[in-house]
Amino acid sequence: MYARLIDVPQEKSYFLFGPRGTGKSTWVRTMYPGAVYIDLLDSRLYASLLAGPHRLEELIPADHRDWVVVDEVQRVPELLSTVHRLIENRGLKFVLTGSSARKLRNKGVNLLAGRTMHPLTAVELGPDFCLEQSLSRGYLPSACIEADPADYLAGYVHTYLREEVQQEGLVRNLQAFARFLEAASLSQATTLNISDVARDCEINRKTVEAYFHILEDLLLAWRLPVFTRKAAVAG
């Protein structure tokens, strides 16, 4: 396991966001071995807390004084009211992980105490870093150890389409969004022309612009501002 360079609060609750597969769950289990761990990817637990967010308190022993981890908290945003009450009334400390802040932000949640875990960086990889690998398949931790990284990444995209896009109802036309992903991938590390992407995937420009906003929220990707020239000021 590579050591992650991430600065998190030591005595205060916080959010930990990051795309799927960046190692958030592994990291929190390693860093907080004594924590009560609430995994919202567990279908039965998810259904129970979705029906009754107050049940979260029942999962935490009355004498528990260590951390509480809620994994994939964006799946049940209503839990945050219970979390806030437990912080205030019982003095508990929470790590709230999520693969997307979109739902939480739409509900007006204050995300200032948030941290982000990205794929492995060159500094974290040290001598294992390879520029060619970084450009060809990136550095999601599992992509570094899989025998067939291309197959893993194809499955990764399929999982995102099914669990993050389709199930959350983020787009009406999943097929169009899948075409958009293919076209958008060709813009990686190049100047982005949204009109060209729209033409390549046969979708109107405004829809493609909305798709890019979804992509930025889900994968925490960024569009760098375009460089502009400014006239030199005469001395």
Side-chain angles (χ1 to χ4, degrees), residues 109-194:
V109 175
N110 186 339
L111 305 177
L112 291 180
R115 300 294 187 270
T116 302
M117 181 171 285
H118 297 288
L120 292 164
T121 66
V123 174
E124 290 168 340
L125 286 161
D128 292 338
F129 176 75
C130 170
L131 181 60
E132 182 179 350
Q133 178 177 333
S134 177
L135 295 174
S136 65
R137 60 177 185 258
Y139 271 117
L140 286 171
S142 291
C144 297
I145 60 176
E146 289 287 334
D148 187 352
D151 185 61
Y152 165 77
L153 292 172
Y156 182 87
V157 172
H158 178 73
T159 298
Y160 251 103
L161 286 173
R162 185 182 70 250
E163 297 183 9
E164 298 287 352
V165 179
Q166 184 179 38
Q167 289 185 9
E168 297 296 338
L170 298 182
V171 299
R172 293 181 180 179
N173 188 333
L174 192 64
Q175 186 179 33
F177 190 80
R179 293 202 308 273
F180 157 75
L181 282 180
E182 290 186 1
S185 68
L186 300 177
S187 299
Q188 172 71 5
T190 65
T191 301
L192 174 62
N193 186 315
I194 292 178

Side-chain angles (χ1 to χ4, degrees), residues 10 14 34 50 125 200 213:
Q10 299 301 310
Y14 64 94
L50 184 65
L125 286 161
D200 289 344
H213 286 303

Side-chain angles (χ1 to χ4, degrees), residues 8-234:
V8 297
Q10 299 301 310
E11 297 297 330
K12 169 176 173 182
S13 300
Y14 64 94
F15 290 98
L16 179 63
F17 294 111
R20 284 175 178 264
T22 51
K24 301 184 300 298
S25 299
T26 300
W27 186 83
V28 294
R29 286 183 184 276
T30 301
M31 294 297 296
Y32 304 102
V36 170
Y37 193 88
I38 312 296
D39 183 6
L40 292 179
L41 292 179
D42 181 314
S43 57
R44 286 189 296 180
L45 184 58
Y46 165 73
S48 173
L49 291 176
L50 184 65
H54 62 280
R55 295 171 183 162
L56 175 66
E57 185 168 10
E58 299 170 6
L59 301 175
I60 306 170
D63 59 349
H64 184 73
R65 294 294 177 267
D66 208 328
W67 289 81
V68 179
V69 174
V70 181
D71 206 359
E72 298 297 338
V73 68
Q74 84 283 346
R75 300 197 74 202
V76 188
E78 293 75 15
L79 283 176
L80 294 181
S81 295
T82 301
V83 167
H84 180 74
R85 178 171 58 81
L86 293 175
I87 291 173
E88 294 295 322
N89 295 348
R90 290 181 52 180
L92 293 173
K93 297 176 293 185
F94 284 81
V95 181
L96 306 167
T97 79
S99 54
S100 171
R102 185 182 184 88
K103 265 192 172 182
L104 303 179
R105 191 183 299 115
N106 289 344
K107 287 185 175 291
V109 175
N110 186 339
L111 305 177
L112 291 180
R115 300 294 187 270
T116 302
M117 181 171 285
H118 297 288
L120 292 164
T121 66
V123 174
E124 290 168 340
L125 286 161
D128 292 338
F129 176 75
C130 170
L131 181 60
E132 182 179 350
Q133 178 177 333
S134 177
L135 295 174
S136 65
R137 60 177 185 258
Y139 271 117
L140 286 171
S142 291
C144 297
I145 60 176
E146 289 287 334
D148 187 352
D151 185 61
Y152 165 77
L153 292 172
Y156 182 87
V157 172
H158 178 73
T159 298
Y160 251 103
L161 286 173
R162 185 182 70 250
E163 297 183 9
E164 298 287 352
V165 179
Q166 184 179 38
Q167 289 185 9
E168 297 296 338
L170 298 182
V171 299
R172 293 181 180 179
N173 188 333
L174 192 64
Q175 186 179 33
F177 190 80
R179 293 202 308 273
F180 157 75
L181 282 180
E182 290 186 1
S185 68
L186 300 177
S187 299
Q188 172 71 5
T190 65
T191 301
L192 174 62
N193 186 315
I194 292 178
S195 295
D196 286 347
V197 174
R199 184 170 54 255
D200 289 344
C201 58
E202 301 177 342
I203 304 171
N204 72 66
R205 190 186 188 284
K206 286 188 177 180
T207 300
V208 167
E209 177 69 25
Y211 283 177
F212 269 112
H213 286 303
I214 291 172
L215 197 61
E216 289 168 346
D217 275 345
L218 291 179
L219 298 179
L220 301 175
W222 300 293
R223 278 181 275 179
L224 296 178
V226 177
F227 291 105
T228 57
R229 289 186 177 183
K230 292 185 178 179
V233 179

